[in-house]
Structure formats: structure tokens, C-alpha cells
Amino acid sequence: MVAQVIDGKAFAAKVRAQVADQVAKLKEESGITPGLAVVLVGEDPASQVYVRSKGKQTVEVGMNSYEHKLDAETSEEDLLALIDKLNNDPAVHGILVQLPLPKHLNEDLVINSIDPAKDVDGFHISNVGLLGTGQKSMVPCTPLGCLMMLRDHHGSLSGMDAVVIGRSNIVGKPMAQLLLGDSCTVTIAHSRTKDLPDVVRRADIVVAAVGRPEMVPGDWIKEGATVIDVGINRIERDGKNKLVGDVDYASAAERAGAITPVPGGVGPMTIACLLANTLTACCRANGLPEPEGLTA
Ligand code: NAD
């Protein structure tokens, strides 16, 4: 079997176009422009790239982008004061604090000081609890993007065996909750899982979110399974820098029914879902119907 490639770049463009359409309608019908505030503390180069990209895409879909760049020595008190100001600003519907934060700042405290209704990353403890109990929440962007691609490919996921490799708070755990919400039988595998190959071989859906280059070989993949590769790993091969996933793409594509490439799979969906979440937060804040097809 040669796998169908799930094109995350094209899918993300479709999601952004949907968001842009609905933002235009919202502006015309209610005079409301959704606004996303991104807070960056320090000069981490990767974070700077992400923040720039988020700001650019926010403006491209017609939303307002507010960037707050604070220096690396910013005190917790000053950061919390800024978040409080953004929580109370009616023009701001989504707040994202770019992680990781410098070591002297308490990440949990900072994230939990964001108004849960504006927490477009879905990391606030209230949103984690709401998702875990199957209630309306803000859903973390990367797992939401994976879910959208899976629903688009399969229609219903009900009754499928899904294995999520990785149990992080930002990908693995919320991904498992979302799959459970769509009535999959879910296994969460992690670094202490016994016989990982055997666990993965049973899966109709494999979501790999580990951060280890090509650790899942093709012969672990059940014939016809759908493989969602979240991993982004920078490696050097043949003297060149390369991005690879957690799955060995070439061998997995020979057995899978469908697979996401790296790059161009899950990656582009994350910012698209951030924009979708900002629109959702804006609609909820204004008592308007939620955008269709852009929430979990
Ligand atoms: P993390 O380091 O927080 O978690 C990794 C998880 O992998 C842990 O739960 C650990 O138990 C598990 N693990 C480690 N070694 C293992 C092994 N040998 N076998 C099975 N499980 C093992 O990582 P994260 O933040 O969840 O990110 C995972 C990967 O996804 C990274 O490559 C990251 O860059 C990528 N990522 C991509 C996006 C995106 O596409 N937009 C977003 C977030 C993360």
C-alpha cells in the first residue's frame, strides 16, 4: 500500500481562508474585529520566528495583532500586570504567552493568570479540566489541528483504535482527550511503555509526539493505518540540515493508508488553529454563534 499524503500546508491554507471569510462577515455584520495579543519575553531566536509568523498570519486573516515584547529580565510582577491589562481589554479576544519563559518566571502561574476565555493556547488549568470532562473549552492548537485532519480524512473516528505516543501537556494528553471525545479507543504510550512496537501495531490511528527523529519505523505501522507525525526534529544528513518527524516517513508510507509529512504536515496547522481559536473566543465573548468546523 502507498499512503495518501495528508497535506497540512494545503489544509492550513483552507482553515485560514475559512477564518478570513468569517472574520470579514463578523466585521461587516457586527463591526467587531477579533484581536490576538502575543507576549514574548526574552530573545529566544525560535520564539521570535514563531511570534513574527503568528503576527503576520493574524493580520492576513483580517484580525488585529498586538505584540508585546518584554526583555529577558522582566519581573513576574510586571508580566502578570500586563496579562491583567490584556484580560481586561475588550479589543483583545485571545492572549498567547510564548513558551518557554525565562527560568525566573513561573510558567504555570503565568499561564493560569490568563482569563480562560482568552486562553487561545488552551493551557489554562480550567481549559484542561473542561476538555477532560468533555465540556466546551479552548483546545490546544496542535492537537486541534491533528483532530481536524483526522476528521477530514475519516469522517467519523468512532470505534477506531488510536495510539498517542507522548504524554506531554501540550500535545499528548489533550490529543488523547480529543480522540476519546470522538469515541476512539485510546492508548497513551510514553517513555516507560513496555513493548511499544506491539502497542503501535494495533493502532488504526497513530499520533507520534515524542521529539525523537524517526523513532517509529514502518514495520510498527498496521497496514492501512493513519499516521499523524507531530515531531519536529532537526538533524544533519549527508552534510545538510534537515527536518524530520518522529516517524520514519519512507518506510511508514509503504504501509500506512494515510500519513502527514514533516515538514508540511501538522506544523502549519498549529498557527491556523490559533487563528481559529481566536475567532472562536471572539464569538463566545460577544454571544455570537461559534464558527462552524473550526472547533473540537
Ligand atoms: P515533550 O518532550 O514535552 O514530550 C515528549 C513525550 O515523549 C514525553 O511524554 C515522553 O514520555 C515521550 N517519550 C520520550 N521518549 C520516548 C520513547 N522512547 N518512547 C515513547 N515515548 C517517549 O514534547 P512535546 O512538547 O509533546 O513535543 C513532541 C514533539 O512534537 C517535538 O518534536 C516537538 O518539536 C513537536 N511539536 C510540534 C508542534 C507542531 O507541529 N506545531 C507543536 C508542539 C510540539
Side-chain angles (χ1 to χ4, degrees):
M1 173 173 268
V2 178
Q4 179 185 332
V5 180
I6 300 178
D7 184 345
K9 213 172 150 189
F11 200 107
K14 205 171 91 183
V15 171
R16 287 196 304 273
Q18 254 175 291
V19 172
D21 265 4
Q22 299 196 38
V23 168
K25 216 182 283 167
L26 190 64
K27 284 184 186 174
E28 198 182 300
E29 290 170 4
S30 333
I32 301 164
T33 303
L36 172 65
V38 177
V39 180
L40 173 65
V41 187
E43 266 119 49
D44 178 70
S47 294
Q48 285 179 327
V49 173
Y50 291 140
V51 167
R52 234 190 337 268
S53 190
K54 284 167 187 170
K56 185 168 168 273
Q57 292 189 36
T58 302
V59 172
E60 278 169 4
V61 295
M63 298 185 185
N64 290 326
S65 166
Y66 308 100
E67 281 182 29
H68 295 269
K69 292 186 177 162
L70 309 179
D71 64 52
E73 283 77 41
T74 299
S75 69
E76 202 160 83
E77 200 187 348
D78 285 350
L79 178 56
L80 294 178
L82 171 62
I83 291 172
D84 187 51
K85 203 172 120 205
L86 298 172
N87 282 342
N88 290 300
D89 184 344
V92 172
H93 304 96
I95 303 170
L96 180 147
V97 176
Q98 185 65 43
L99 302 179
L101 288 171
K103 292 272 175 290
H104 68 284
L105 299 169
N106 179 338
E107 240 168 54
D108 287 338
L109 180 74
V110 170
I111 296 305
N112 290 324
S113 72
I114 299 172
D115 177 349
K118 296 189 179 189
D119 167 39
V120 281
D121 250 344
F123 296 160
H124 189 290
I125 193 77
S126 294
N127 282 317
V128 175
L130 289 168
L131 178 62
T133 50
Q135 299 179 69
K136 198 183 269 188
S137 64
M138 293 306 308
V139 177
C141 304
T142 301
L144 178 58
C146 297
L147 182 76
M148 282 184 185
M149 291 195 285
L150 284 167
R151 282 179 177 169
D152 184 67
H153 184 72
H154 286 286
S156 169
L157 309 181
S158 180
M160 295 180 88
D161 282 315
V163 170
V164 179
I165 318 175
R167 56 174 160 182
S168 73
N169 290 337
I170 65 165
V171 189
K173 283 183 201 156
M175 186 73 244
Q177 294 289 2
L178 289 171
L179 291 166
L180 200 55
D182 271 29
S183 302
C184 292
T185 302
V186 183
T187 304
I188 306 179
H190 47 78
S191 52
R192 305 289 176 90
T193 296
K194 286 185 203 156
D195 202 352
L196 185 60
D198 186 53
V199 171
V200 175
R201 277 189 190 113
R202 283 185 260 134
D204 305 312
I205 294 170
V206 180
V207 180
V210 179
R212 287 178 159 235
E214 300 169 334
M215 70 162 277
V216 178
D219 70 356
W220 292 10
I221 304 296
K222 178 162 126 180
E223 197 73 37
T226 300
V227 178
I228 305 289
D229 192 351
V230 183
I232 301 176
N233 308 290
R234 284 182 173 76
I235 61 160
E236 209 189 293
R237 182 170 289 156
D238 306 326
K240 286 186 190 144
N241 291 323
K242 218 180 158 228
L243 277 189
V244 297
D246 292 340
V247 177
D248 178 42
Y249 184 84
S251 62
E254 284 175 16
R255 292 173 64 88
I259 187 167
T260 59
V262 177
V266 176
M269 286 298 288
T270 298
I271 300 185
C273 288
L274 172 68
L275 304 174
N277 276 351
T278 305
L279 175 62
T280 300
C282 177
C283 292
R284 286 181 187 167
N286 289 285
L288 297 167
E290 292 189 11
E292 253 174 65
L294 297 175
T295 52

